[in-house]
Amino acid sequence: MQRIARHLEDCADCRQDFASLRATQRMLSTVGQAKAPADLGLRLRLAISHEHSRRKSSWIDTISLKWDNAVRPLLVQVSAGFAGTVALVGGIAVLLGLFAAPEPVMANDEPLGAMTSPHYLYSSVNPHAILTDHDGVIVVEASVNSAGKVYDYRIVSGPESPAVQSQVVDQLLTSVFQPASVFGAPVRGRVVLTFSGISVRG
């Protein structure tokens, strides 16, 4: 839908066709339900009664005539009204679905086939273990901008001393990531990283 929108900005012929379809959509939305004349049912019942009076009828004809005069007109009107409403609403819904402006896609939308997460590429310095008070794994959630650089982070698991945070920041600032993307366009995203922690104690 975004590619179509960009194409309409550059193509005058398609833009004119799109405007024509929009005008058709607006006209369809103003069409009301066709109404039968108010006395149509009465006139039909009178005509049927006159025809019935000109011939000798059996009891089956009498029951059939009452059905035709009373129940069938009501059923026909209800069915026709319902079918017309369904057709009109369905047509408008299809037109709105086909020609509605595309919704903007945000990085926090549900994952789609055309959306990727950030990926680590390389670091300008050799990655090394984090020196901590005890051995373990440090889990960090890093926020990566559309240029592939970390602009924020938080330690999800592991020690959070100032010394550890300083070492984590040093490694994050020298790391380069493939940014997240939506339909091929780079966007901000989040990535979870793990660092090895080595105890500085003897």
Side-chain angles (χ1 to χ4, degrees), residues 126-186:
N126 291 328
H128 55 81
I130 303 295
L131 301 178
T132 64
D133 294 336
H134 54 81
D135 294 340
V137 175
I138 301 171
V139 181
V140 175
E141 182 185 60
S143 299
V144 181
N145 62 19
S146 59
K149 292 289 187 178
V150 175
Y151 66 89
D152 194 12
Y153 80 99
R154 71 183 182 93
I155 296 178
V156 178
S157 176
E160 300 185 32
S161 65
V164 170
Q165 292 182 7
S166 177
Q167 295 176 77
V168 170
V169 168
D170 289 341
Q171 296 212 36
L172 291 177
L173 290 179
T174 57
S175 299
V176 178
F177 294 82
Q178 175 71 38
S181 65
V182 176
F183 297 105

Side-chain angles (χ1 to χ4, degrees), residues 40 50 86 119-120 128 146-147 168 195 197:
L40 178 61
H50 292 163
V86 169
H119 296 285
Y120 173 80
H128 55 81
S146 59
V168 170
F195 297 91

Side-chain angles (χ1 to χ4, degrees), residues 1 21 29 34 44 96 109 116 147 149 152 172 175 190 193 197:
M1 293 303 294
L21 290 170
S29 65
L44 289 175
L96 289 176
D109 284 347
T116 62
K149 292 289 187 178
D152 194 12
L172 291 177
S175 299
R190 291 189 179 91
L193 306 170

